[in-house]
Amino acid sequence: MAPRRRRGARNARSPFSHLCDALCRTIPGDQNMPFPAPLNARLSRLAAAGLIALLPACAGDALQPAQPSFYRSLAHQGAVLDADAAASMISGYRQNNGLGAVALDPELMRLAEAQSRAMAARDKLDHNVSGNFKERMRTSGYDAASAVENISAGYHTLAEAFSGWRDSAPHRANMLNKTAARMGIAAVYAPNSKYKVFWTLIMAAPARSS
């Protein structure tokens, strides 16, 4: 579900009031003298034209709230995954299920990035595209008591990827791994692939504290 957007004005006073101020100043001389009818009509036309001209500027002045990072599309060049938001989202899901939070781990981030890049380079969704998971963990030198991996492709936002994993029993079980305390996540854009974005999530329990 898309987030609600709120609009806020930069100034409490309408920009149209400034136009009114400029057009409605009395002419020099008698301060109480009303404008002649033809001038009133002309001012009315000017005011209408001025209000219409100000509409685009007024719309531009409205402040747009920043879109939450988990709703931002990563299906374009230069897109950057908000890993902190991912850790917060997954930790919240785990805590709602009576489990501990997970923290980002630099080495797991690197491993997740490597797996996503390997899948993107071959345009293939496959755990074994660059070696099976256990072997990749072993050769990385990461000392893990346990580790699990989720992959996916075709989801353009973090929210979509999370929902896809949550709604799949095996992937949900990995996110709710009881011993996991660290995680790494990556999303790699592949412009020539029908999937556009390849995702990897690795969660692990370090064999020793670091």
Side-chain angles (χ1 to χ4, degrees), residues 151-177:
I151 59 174
S152 63
Y155 297 119
H156 290 185
T157 69
L158 173 58
E160 291 172 357
F162 171 81
S163 295
W165 288 329
R166 181 198 59 199
D167 296 340
S168 163
H171 297 90
R172 179 171 63 249
N174 282 347
M175 288 201 297
L176 297 178
N177 181 283

Side-chain angles (χ1 to χ4, degrees), residues 49-71:
L51 289 175
I52 293 170
L54 276 177
L55 284 176
C58 180
D61 283 345
L63 298 178
Q64 297 293 335
Q67 186 180 41
S69 60
F70 45 82
Y71 285 119

